PDB file of all heavy atoms in Angstrom:
ATOM      1  N   SER C  49     -44.258   8.356   6.808  1.00 93.00           N
ATOM      2  CA  SER C  49     -44.881   7.718   7.963  1.00 93.00           C
ATOM      3  C   SER C  49     -46.329   8.143   7.991  1.00 93.00           C
ATOM      4  O   SER C  49     -46.687   9.194   7.448  1.00 93.00           O
ATOM      5  CB  SER C  49     -44.170   8.157   9.243  1.00 93.00           C
ATOM      6  OG  SER C  49     -45.022   7.982  10.363  1.00 93.00           O
ATOM      7  N   ASP C 110     -30.185  22.092  26.312  1.00 56.00           N
ATOM      8  CA  ASP C 110     -30.779  22.340  27.628  1.00 56.00           C
ATOM      9  C   ASP C 110     -31.151  23.796  27.780  1.00 56.00           C
ATOM     10  O   ASP C 110     -32.134  24.139  28.393  1.00 56.00           O
ATOM     11  CB  ASP C 110     -29.776  21.949  28.705  1.00 56.00           C
ATOM     12  CG  ASP C 110     -29.551  20.470  28.682  1.00 56.00           C
ATOM     13  OD1 ASP C 110     -30.547  19.753  28.563  1.00 56.00           O
ATOM     14  OD2 ASP C 110     -28.404  20.031  28.767  1.00 56.00           O
ATOM     15  N   ASN C 127     -38.205  20.157  21.404  1.00 85.00           N
ATOM     16  CA  ASN C 127     -37.201  19.156  21.746  1.00 85.00           C
ATOM     17  C   ASN C 127     -37.720  17.728  21.604  1.00 85.00           C
ATOM     18  O   ASN C 127     -37.062  16.869  21.025  1.00 85.00           O
ATOM     19  CB  ASN C 127     -36.767  19.348  23.204  1.00 85.00           C
ATOM     20  CG  ASN C 127     -35.580  20.270  23.342  1.00 85.00           C
ATOM     21  OD1 ASN C 127     -34.795  20.440  22.402  1.00 85.00           O
ATOM     22  ND2 ASN C 127     -35.432  20.859  24.503  1.00 85.00           N
ATOM     23  N   ASP C 135     -35.100   9.290  16.575  1.00 96.00           N
ATOM     24  CA  ASP C 135     -35.205   7.854  16.873  1.00 96.00           C
ATOM     25  C   ASP C 135     -35.845   7.107  15.709  1.00 96.00           C
ATOM     26  O   ASP C 135     -35.429   5.993  15.369  1.00 96.00           O
ATOM     27  CB  ASP C 135     -36.066   7.626  18.125  1.00 96.00           C
ATOM     28  CG  ASP C 135     -35.366   8.098  19.391  1.00 96.00           C
ATOM     29  OD1 ASP C 135     -34.170   8.410  19.315  1.00 96.00           O
ATOM     30  OD2 ASP C 135     -36.022   8.153  20.440  1.00 96.00           O
ATOM     31  N   GLN C 143     -33.766  -0.693   9.681  1.00 97.00           N
ATOM     32  CA  GLN C 143     -34.687  -1.439   8.813  1.00 97.00           C
ATOM     33  C   GLN C 143     -34.099  -1.590   7.407  1.00 97.00           C
ATOM     34  O   GLN C 143     -34.139  -2.666   6.812  1.00 97.00           O
ATOM     35  CB  GLN C 143     -36.039  -0.710   8.730  1.00 97.00           C
ATOM     36  CG  GLN C 143     -36.881  -0.829   9.990  1.00 97.00           C
ATOM     37  CD  GLN C 143     -38.201  -0.085   9.846  1.00 97.00           C
ATOM     38  OE1 GLN C 143     -38.226   1.079   9.486  1.00 97.00           O
ATOM     39  NE2 GLN C 143     -39.302  -0.751  10.133  1.00 97.00           N
ATOM     40  N   GLU C 166     -21.028   7.834  21.876  1.00 96.00           N
ATOM     41  CA  GLU C 166     -19.963   7.988  22.877  1.00 96.00           C
ATOM     42  C   GLU C 166     -19.179   9.282  22.635  1.00 96.00           C
ATOM     43  O   GLU C 166     -18.837  10.003  23.568  1.00 96.00           O
ATOM     44  CB  GLU C 166     -19.009   6.788  22.837  1.00 96.00           C
ATOM     45  CG  GLU C 166     -19.569   5.551  23.517  1.00 96.00           C
ATOM     46  CD  GLU C 166     -18.592   4.377  23.498  1.00 96.00           C
ATOM     47  OE1 GLU C 166     -18.115   4.025  22.396  1.00 96.00           O
ATOM     48  OE2 GLU C 166     -18.315   3.826  24.572  1.00 96.00           O
TER      49      GLU C 166
ATOM     50  N   SER I  49     -18.751   1.738  29.133  1.00 93.00           N
ATOM     51  CA  SER I  49     -18.176   2.565  28.079  1.00 93.00           C
ATOM     52  C   SER I  49     -16.964   3.270  28.668  1.00 93.00           C
ATOM     53  O   SER I  49     -16.872   3.455  29.886  1.00 93.00           O
ATOM     54  CB  SER I  49     -19.203   3.598  27.601  1.00 93.00           C
ATOM     55  OG  SER I  49     -18.561   4.684  26.979  1.00 93.00           O
ATOM     56  N   HIS I 105     -35.442   8.967  26.427  1.00 92.00           N
ATOM     57  CA  HIS I 105     -35.887   9.967  25.456  1.00 92.00           C
ATOM     58  C   HIS I 105     -37.267  10.520  25.806  1.00 92.00           C
ATOM     59  O   HIS I 105     -37.575  11.668  25.513  1.00 92.00           O
ATOM     60  CB  HIS I 105     -35.862   9.376  24.046  1.00 92.00           C
ATOM     61  CG  HIS I 105     -34.472   9.212  23.524  1.00 92.00           C
ATOM     62  ND1 HIS I 105     -34.189   8.760  22.264  1.00 92.00           N
ATOM     63  CD2 HIS I 105     -33.275   9.478  24.096  1.00 92.00           C
ATOM     64  CE1 HIS I 105     -32.871   8.736  22.099  1.00 92.00           C
ATOM     65  NE2 HIS I 105     -32.311   9.159  23.191  1.00 92.00           N
ATOM     66  N   ASP I 110     -39.694  19.784  26.899  1.00 56.00           N
ATOM     67  CA  ASP I 110     -39.443  21.140  26.432  1.00 56.00           C
ATOM     68  C   ASP I 110     -39.547  22.134  27.571  1.00 56.00           C
ATOM     69  O   ASP I 110     -38.834  23.107  27.639  1.00 56.00           O
ATOM     70  CB  ASP I 110     -40.468  21.506  25.355  1.00 56.00           C
ATOM     71  CG  ASP I 110     -40.247  20.660  24.134  1.00 56.00           C
ATOM     72  OD1 ASP I 110     -39.086  20.505  23.754  1.00 56.00           O
ATOM     73  OD2 ASP I 110     -41.222  20.145  23.582  1.00 56.00           O
ATOM     74  N   ASN I 127     -30.768  17.399  29.444  1.00 85.00           N
ATOM     75  CA  ASN I 127     -31.434  16.862  28.259  1.00 85.00           C
ATOM     76  C   ASN I 127     -30.469  16.216  27.275  1.00 85.00           C
ATOM     77  O   ASN I 127     -30.698  15.110  26.796  1.00 85.00           O
ATOM     78  CB  ASN I 127     -32.141  17.997  27.510  1.00 85.00           C
ATOM     79  CG  ASN I 127     -33.587  18.183  27.953  1.00 85.00           C
ATOM     80  OD1 ASN I 127     -34.202  17.263  28.486  1.00 85.00           O
ATOM     81  ND2 ASN I 127     -34.116  19.366  27.730  1.00 85.00           N
ATOM     82  N   GLU I 166     -42.859   6.209  16.205  1.00 96.00           N
ATOM     83  CA  GLU I 166     -44.073   6.751  15.579  1.00 96.00           C
ATOM     84  C   GLU I 166     -45.187   6.930  16.616  1.00 96.00           C
ATOM     85  O   GLU I 166     -45.885   7.949  16.619  1.00 96.00           O
ATOM     86  CB  GLU I 166     -44.566   5.822  14.460  1.00 96.00           C
ATOM     87  CG  GLU I 166     -43.741   5.920  13.185  1.00 96.00           C
ATOM     88  CD  GLU I 166     -44.295   5.032  12.070  1.00 96.00           C
ATOM     89  OE1 GLU I 166     -44.468   3.817  12.319  1.00 96.00           O
ATOM     90  OE2 GLU I 166     -44.551   5.547  10.969  1.00 96.00           O
TER      91      GLU I 166
END
Side-chain angles (χ1 to χ4, degrees):
Chain C
S49 158
D110 293 316
N127 269 336
D135 290 350
Q143 286 180 308
E166 283 181 307
Chain I
S49 158
H105 287 183
D110 293 316
N127 268 337
E166 284 183 306

